[in-house]
Amino acid sequence: RRDVKATYERVHVGRARLVIVNLGDAENTNIILTIREVSADVQIAAFAESVDSVDVLELAGASRVVALKQSLG
């Protein structure tokens, strides 16, 4: 499961250089919050479906958020 802390502990997410999160905004938020429970330092890049979700993803702990639809037009 994507929002279970043990999943990220098993794969040693804290050792990753970067985690890319590219699902729906709500699921991305849950994943980011879960990853932050395991590692406060890992870099997380997230794609936002909605411009309105950028702030939420950043508050959840994403290091960088790209509003893909806005960027691509």
Side-chain angles (χ1 to χ4, degrees), residues 11-12 34 57 59 69:
V11 298
H12 304 283
T34 305
L57 293 165
L59 287 171
K69 289 181 182 176

Side-chain angles (χ1 to χ4, degrees), residues 46-52 54 64-73:
F47 291 102
E49 293 178 320
S50 168
V51 175
D52 297 332
V54 172
R64 182 73 80 186
V65 179
V66 177
L68 200 54
K69 289 181 182 176
Q70 179 185 12
S71 297
L72 295 177

Side-chain angles (χ1 to χ4, degrees), residues 31-52:
I31 291 169
I32 293 165
L33 289 168
T34 305
I35 290 171
R36 285 293 173 230
E37 287 182 44
V38 177
S39 175
D41 299 323
V42 67
Q43 295 291 304
I44 301 173
F47 291 102
E49 293 178 320
S50 168
V51 175
D52 297 332

Side-chain angles (χ1 to χ4, degrees), residues 10-30:
R10 269 194 304 272
V11 298
H12 304 283
V13 74
R15 295 183 192 170
R17 294 179 62 112
L18 174 68
V19 176
I20 297 174
V21 185
N22 186 21
L23 297 170
D25 292 339
E27 193 163 7
N28 285 350
T29 302
N30 289 334

